Amino acid sequence: MSVQRFDVWASKHVEHCQLHMLKDAVIGVDASYYLNLRLNGNNEEPLKHALGGQPFTFKRTIEEDITFLRQNGITLIFVFDGLDYVNKNLRTSQLAASRRVQDDAWHAYLNGDSKRTVADFGKATYDVDTTARGLQKLLAENNVEYMVAPYSATAQLSYLLALEDQFIDAVMGSTECFLFGMDRVVTDFNRNDSTLSLVSRATCEGILKADRDLLRDAQILLGTSFTPTFPILEAMATTKSTGVVDAIAMLKGFGNSVIQLCNYHRENAQVQNLKYADRYKKAIMTIRHHVVMDKTGVVAPLHFDEAPGDVHEFVGQRLPEELFFYLSKGMLAPEIPNWLTSGEVVLSLPGGVLDSEPYRRLVIELLNPFRSEALKILAESLHYYYQSRVIKVTPWVNQDTSNLTIEIRYVPAMKQKLAQWKVRGAQIESIVGKGEDASLFLPCLRSLKDAAFAKETITKDKVEHPALRTADEVVANAIFRYLQVRGYVDDQHNLTTWGKALAAALEVADEEYTIVGIEMLRMGLFTGNFASGDAVSKTDKDHDRKVNTNLISKIACLSRIQHKSMGFVGPLDRQLLTFAWKITAVRTTLRDLLETILTSMFLNGDVDREREDWITLMQKLPFASDNGSGNGIAVKTYLDAVNEEPEVTEALKASIKQQEGKYNWFAQLRGSGTLTKSLDRAWKVWDALYAATLVPGTEVKEAKLFSEVNEWLSPRR
């Protein structure tokens, strides 16, 4: 048994309020809490853990919530967590437990126990951090306002709620809101009876016979994002159910003092190791003087007049206020600023992923140069202190990574050469053309095929500041700079061999997943091996078929299966799940790099900062879609079925695509040619990457295999 968190106890003491009583109100929503509630608070889609990527019900669920509340006259403002504060209690134990139940689920699946498979996957915890960008994209599409807090979203919401001009009227979040002095918190809303669920601090205090400080300290002992669970409570939980009542009783036995309690248990090894008394003191200071962004955009501690001079010791190192502003707009995710301030890149293993050598090599080693580039680009735009930072890499596995330590001062400089990109005005109009909403990668690459145009893009003379004003100018120049950083464009702004390969691929499939695929092709990640790295046995009578299917289905994971907005029903594949998480790792790394380039353009004064189109800028950036392994599974299942028959005919392929008779695997892909459309997406991305391998000079290691597989696939499509 584990210690019962205060949220769980409080959920039994909720009050209900009719929604019409909050008509015209504004509710501030803790985005992480909301995501956890919707992704882990019900079991509508238990197999989302087995597929990876954005859950199929995600978009519908969010949009139904937004529509429902709008119909009831309620406005939402979402607040996302920002940088990690010092001593933030990470959810490592929760994620470790989730990995264990997912391992159990895969074991049950391999044993043919479908009920146990679904039940175990349903117990897993979905990592909500992976969906933050996806939620921001959805909110923007639905005209819902959001911001990213400097650090804790809960702290930011407490500030907004306390404003005299009532920026928000209520907060939806966890009971950690009580730590910041909030009187009540919205925990959920019910569409069936049009009510809100609320938890009142006064009600909790009354039931527990505790005053405000005692309740706060009991919450802290039970474990919060600011503190781990008090070890003595954890020991109690091994023999009996343990929760807030026990924490309060324990405190009352020591004069309502956490310090006295810690002093009494000072010989306990875990209390010593955690330095719990110090952690408690820092937690109190972190809560009282947490850093927030005020309504004028100034970033400062709560209760500023009383704040000590060493706030950075228990919250975090000070970053430029301008950078916090861009963070608040969602222009830059918190990861890279976190690495800069903490001096550490912490890498974790997603649930369900096979902890294999190829996965480790990709995430720990191959992506490290990307991290180095992003850190350098951002640091060059900041104080010299950050330009001399040393960042260590800490993976989930016990591995010597000293050779991967990033010493920013020794990473090649980029600021000066990237600053030469100031393509604007008529030049941008000639690139963008009429494709206002299309990706700008392909137009940018096409434009550089013209040697004269490429030469004109090298800006040597001084230009008026800021040089770039429109959204298209800003995004196009960010893309040009990205292409140069990643070696698609040389220092003379001409396309390199890989630039030509990327252009060739995008001509076939002008999609963001094509760019991700090309990066993975360059890293040699597309082979005929299984995702775990195991090769198909040479003695296997189906060797060629398995090699070919492995390669095609892995590439198919780049695209998204066309699935109804409901839980998945169909075959699963842990190898393809592992590969889908490889794609996610590459995609998020590319997004981080592109965001860093864009942010540096603002920090360096290349871009007009007086603007209102922040959301438009973010919407124009690629690498936000997380597709999972669904389409890889669909392709593998289809190809396996085709190859079971002695002869491949058009009638056979049509029968399989319509899931007729025994070919009935995907319950949500029946009718309307849905499986066919999903397969067509996979063939399109295959064609795009194959086109890249044919570009002279790319020297793709697996080029011969691609050619052989393409010939094999042609009659089977």
Side-chain angles (χ1 to χ4, degrees), residues 428-440 443 472 620:
I428 288 294
E429 292 173 11
S430 69
I431 294 170
V432 176
K434 297 179 181 179
E436 188 174 327
D437 297 323
S439 165
L440 291 178
D472 283 336
K620 285 178 174 287

Side-chain angles (χ1 to χ4, degrees), residues 567-598:
F568 179 81
V569 178
L572 306 175
D573 192 304
R574 194 172 188 181
Q575 294 282 347
L576 291 177
L577 171 68
T578 298
F579 197 82
W581 275 107
K582 284 186 179 182
I583 294 171
T584 297
V586 174
R587 178 188 58 78
T588 54
T589 301
L590 298 183
R591 176 73 182 218
D592 286 340
L593 177 59
L594 185 55
E595 287 179 353
T596 305
I597 291 169
L598 179 62

Side-chain angles (χ1 to χ4, degrees), residues 78-139:
F78 281 75
V79 180
F80 291 80
D81 285 318
L83 273 64
D84 291 340
Y85 39 88
V86 176
N87 287 327
K88 182 176 181 178
N89 189 33
L90 302 176
R91 298 168 294 111
T92 49
S93 60
Q94 185 185 36
L95 294 178
S98 180
R99 279 194 292 271
R100 284 194 295 272
V101 296
Q102 288 183 65
D103 287 342
D104 292 342
W106 282 111
H107 183 73
Y109 179 75
L110 293 175
N111 287 333
D113 189 343
S114 57
K115 287 186 178 179
R116 177 73 183 275
T117 300
V118 173
D120 283 344
F121 274 126
K123 298 173 189 174
T125 301
Y126 198 88
D127 186 1
V128 299
D129 292 343
T130 63
T131 56
R133 280 194 182 104
L135 177 57
Q136 289 174 4
K137 188 172 186 290
L138 266 179
L139 294 176

